[in-house]
Amino acid sequence: MAISTLKLVCKPNLLHLRPIPSQCVRKVVPRSVPSVEPEECNRSSNLKQVNKKAPAWKKMNSKELGFRNSMIASPIKKVLNMLKKKGYNVYLVGGCVRDMILRQTPKDFDILTSADLKEVMRTFSWCEIVGKRFPICHVHMDGIIVEVSSFNTAKRKPGRHFAHDIEAPKGFDKEDYLRWRNCVNRDFTINGFMFDPFAKIVYDYMGGMEDIIKAKVRTMVPAATSFQEDCARILRAIRIAARLGFSISTETARSVKHLSYSILRLDKGRLLMEMNYMLAYGSGEASLRLLWKFGLLDILLPFQALYFVRHGFRRRDKRTNMLLSLFFNLDKLLAPNSPCHSSLWVGILALHKSLSDQPRNPLVIAAFSLAVHNGGNLLEAVDIARRINKPHDIRFPELSDPCDLNAKALENEILDLVESVKVSLLQMTSRHSVARAMVDYPQAPHSDMVFIPLGMYLKALSIFDCLKVSSCKKFLSKKSRKIDYESLARGDLPEIRHLFARVVFDTVYPLHLGQS
């Protein structure tokens, strides 16, 4: 049995964005209501030069930006078309427009409309209003949920002061003002785009395109004000910078560090959601690096922060370590539209903590990963592991010097590692253990916050339930080497175990070390 390796998911390439088009395009008023349909688009590889006389805000032709209707998922098109046919204005907004500019597949699509939410409810047969502070519509379409918000709801949003004392740019008409007012209350400039898919216009009122070219994450309003309004934006800044490979602007970075402790005000569910976006969607390694750089890892994952401290890993360190390598190998198998279940990255964190606490023979770790993969068949795993003749990665102190073990000794070592991983999982969900993690590191902020809920702990624990001395229950192993991403996102155990084993095996025995 072999554990296959998948090609690296490509990171964004910004070269195609230099230079950008900035000429204003005329507002299009169609004679009849168009539909968003697939179309052929011949695009010049080089976009037009910036017009220095253009206004600070821009209306850009989406075709010149390389937008194709095939970028928009079919259920999203149906929702857009149905609202448009009712006579409402509809826009795609936020991160999905940014991702389309960057030629990335959006994680999800957000729709903004001039219709009231009650009018949205009447338009779609299966629709519900969710959220109290800022209600939106969840439209169920072709098996997915499409989020639709309303201009009218945004106007009534409590606790927000539109425009933040920012003066509206000149040259606005009434529709421009409504769009600008909505954009200025968003989080980051690169999330402040609006795209009218019918008029083929992308609106950029807050300099988002310039920040994309600079590869910068910058808050829409002064960072201290923005983060005090919503401290979850601190984590979103990390997440976006990690996923896109962007840097964080100086002012924004300063406020991230200064206000980092405020994230403890967030409820555990929100923290878990943000951490899952960081670690389960293909940018885990970069996210961990940035969390460590800005002092957030000390608060969110103290055991992992302690590991960095013990091994002299500096805040801006460019080196790697075993924890980062595990997530590097996980990232290669994931993407924003192909995430994993959260139990997978929790299980990886628990395994690494166990190895950090007690280094292991690389053959034991290999056999352990193989046994997880095949559903708990220790005999097969031990037999395969003992035939491994490729070198392990000697950079990691978590790997002890290999020694020859007979089959029975190797099996016992596997079972001992399993119990150690389970103990690590328990410690990661214990407030007392978390609080003591950084006791020898007084420079770190104190935190006993645990955001991993009982259900996720039990789900991660079930990854290793197949590894027992004897069991009447037979666990099914995954037969195909191809990843089923729907099963992976649902958390189906054969798929989770398959990816867990690949990541661990490829970290201990990197493919390039076996090549001549």
Side-chain angles (χ1 to χ4, degrees):
M1 179 182 66
I3 299 178
S4 59
T5 303
L6 205 68
K7 291 184 179 179
L8 177 68
V9 177
C10 294
K11 299 297 183 184
N13 183 353
L14 301 182
L15 294 179
H16 69 277
L17 291 176
R18 300 179 183 274
I20 62 166
S22 66
Q23 75 280 5
C24 292
V25 296
R26 293 182 180 178
K27 187 175 181 180
V28 178
V29 182
R31 295 179 181 177
S32 59
V33 177
S35 292
V36 181
E37 297 292 346
E39 62 181 18
E40 295 295 327
C41 179
N42 296 320
R43 181 179 63 88
S44 172
S45 60
N46 294 321
L47 300 175
K48 295 183 179 180
Q49 287 284 353
V50 175
N51 182 353
K52 295 182 179 180
K53 296 182 180 180
W57 58 278
K58 299 178 179 65
K59 296 180 182 180
M60 295 170 286
N61 189 308
S62 64
K63 288 186 176 181
E64 292 182 15
L65 290 174
F67 283 25
R68 301 181 305 277
N69 284 324
S70 59
M71 293 177 171
I72 306 174
S74 177
I76 310 300
K77 293 177 187 176
K78 290 181 180 179
V79 175
L80 290 168
N81 287 331
M82 290 179 71
L83 288 170
K84 190 67 175 178
K85 288 177 180 177
K86 289 281 188 177
Y88 303 118
N89 292 329
V90 283
Y91 304 91
L92 291 174
V93 295
C96 64
V97 185
R98 174 203 69 214
D99 289 345
M100 292 167 72
I101 293 171
L102 290 168
R103 312 294 194 277
Q104 291 197 344
T105 302
K107 178 175 65 70
D108 47 35
F109 291 86
D110 293 322
I111 294 175
L112 178 66
T113 179
S114 59
D116 286 328
L117 294 186
K118 290 183 179 180
E119 294 167 334
V120 176
M121 288 278 289
R122 287 193 288 268
T123 302
F124 300 97
S125 57
W126 194 6
C127 179
E128 57 187 340
I129 297 178
V130 299
K132 293 181 179 179
R133 186 180 175 213
F134 185 31
I136 61 174
C137 272
H138 276 180
V139 178
H140 296 257
M141 182 66 68
D142 296 347
I144 72 168
I145 295 176
V146 181
E147 291 191 355
V148 180
S149 57
S150 169
F151 276 110
N152 297 329
T153 302
K155 286 190 294 186
R156 298 191 298 269
K157 188 174 182 179
R160 283 293 185 88
H161 302 285
F162 284 112
H164 293 279
D165 299 325
I166 298 176
E167 185 178 351
K170 297 179 181 179
F172 273 8
D173 59 22
K174 181 180 179 181
E175 294 297 323
D176 279 318
Y177 181 76
L178 290 174
R179 287 187 290 261
W180 169 81
R181 190 172 66 173
N182 182 275
C183 287
V184 81
N185 284 278
R186 295 183 178 274
D187 48 10
F188 305 103
T189 57
I190 58 176
N191 287 344
F193 298 100
M194 287 191 183
F195 171 41
D196 184 336
F198 301 97
K200 309 297 183 187
I201 296 175
V202 174
Y203 298 91
D204 175 19
Y205 297 105
M206 301 302 295
M209 186 62 78
E210 283 73 14
D211 283 337
I212 281 182
I213 290 176
K214 295 175 184 176
K216 289 281 186 183
V217 176
R218 178 169 62 90
T219 52
M220 196 73 76
V221 299
T225 302
S226 181
F227 294 155
Q228 286 168 1
E229 281 186 348
D230 183 0
C231 56
R233 290 173 176 172
I234 293 172
L235 297 177
R236 288 206 295 272
I238 298 291
R239 184 226 306 172
I240 293 169
R243 182 190 161 197
L244 301 180
F246 282 17
S247 62
I248 299 176
S249 73
T250 302
E251 183 214 7
T252 304
R254 190 181 300 116
S255 292
V256 167
K257 290 182 178 179
H258 181 65
L259 298 171
S260 61
Y261 209 67
S262 67
I263 65 172
L264 291 176
R265 298 202 304 262
L266 295 170
D267 64 74
K268 294 179 181 179
R270 183 61 182 275
L271 285 169
L272 175 60
M273 181 185 75
E274 292 294 339
M275 288 301 295
N276 193 57
Y277 282 150
M278 291 186 203
L279 302 181
Y281 285 77
S283 57
E285 182 205 6
S287 295
L288 289 172
R289 286 184 183 274
L290 288 175
L291 289 171
W292 173 241
K293 176 181 176 180
F294 289 102
L296 291 158
L297 199 68
D298 313 37
I299 301 170
L300 294 164
L301 296 172
F303 288 117
Q304 286 66 39
L306 180 61
Y307 165 73
F308 282 1
V309 171
R310 285 176 174 171
H311 292 276
F313 205 78
R314 299 183 301 274
R315 296 289 180 178
R316 296 177 179 270
D317 216 318
K318 301 298 182 184
R319 297 174 297 162
T320 192
N321 54 41
M322 190 176 188
L323 176 62
L324 294 174
S325 294
L326 283 165
F327 277 89
F328 172 80
N329 285 314
L330 177 63
D331 291 343
K332 290 193 293 185
L333 305 176
L334 304 176
N337 61 332
S338 303
C340 69
H341 190 269
S342 51
S343 61
L344 177 54
W345 58 261
V346 171
I348 289 174
L349 289 177
L351 171 66
H352 179 263
K353 182 188 178 306
S354 174
L355 296 177
S356 178
D357 292 341
Q358 181 183 346
R360 302 276 178 166
N361 186 325
L363 280 181
V364 172
I365 303 171
F368 164 81
S369 67
L370 292 166
V372 169
H373 179 271
N374 67 22
N377 189 330
L378 295 181
L379 293 177
E380 181 188 63
V382 166
D383 179 61
I384 295 172
R386 296 187 71 194
R387 288 187 275 121
I388 295 175
N389 59 7
K390 61 185 296 186
H392 69 277
D393 198 323
I394 62 173
R395 296 173 297 171
F396 306 139
E398 295 90 331
L399 305 179
S400 62
D401 293 334
C403 58
D404 189 26
L405 297 172
N406 61 39
K408 186 61 179 178
L410 192 51
E411 182 177 324
N412 289 336
E413 288 289 333
I414 294 172
L415 295 174
D416 185 67
L417 177 55
V418 172
E419 292 308 310
S420 176
V421 172
K422 291 180 178 180
V423 169
S424 292
L425 271 172
L426 187 61
Q427 290 174 332
M428 288 166 57
T429 57
S430 163
R431 290 184 62 182
H432 176 71
S433 297
V434 168
R436 289 187 56 81
M438 302 291 281
V439 70
D440 295 327
Y441 184 45
Q443 300 93 328
H446 173 77
S447 170
D448 64 352
M449 185 267 301
V450 172
F451 61 85
I452 298 174
L454 176 62
M456 187 186 298
Y457 160 75
L458 294 174
K459 182 69 174 180
L461 199 64
S462 67
I463 298 172
F464 313 106
D465 276 348
C466 58
L467 298 174
K468 298 179 180 179
V469 177
S470 60
S471 176
C472 297
K473 183 177 180 180
K474 292 185 177 180
F475 294 90
L476 296 176
S477 61
K478 180 179 168 66
K479 302 303 181 183
S480 170
R481 291 181 295 177
K482 184 178 179 181
I483 300 172
D484 182 340
Y485 283 100
E486 289 187 7
S487 296
L488 182 65
R490 284 197 306 267
D492 292 354
L493 279 176
E495 205 68 49
I496 292 290
R497 289 173 176 150
H498 170 67
L499 234 68
F500 178 91
R502 287 176 65 168
V503 168
V504 174
F505 191 92
D506 288 348
T507 302
V508 177
Y509 292 96
L511 183 61
H512 69 274
L513 292 183
Q515 296 174 341
S516 57

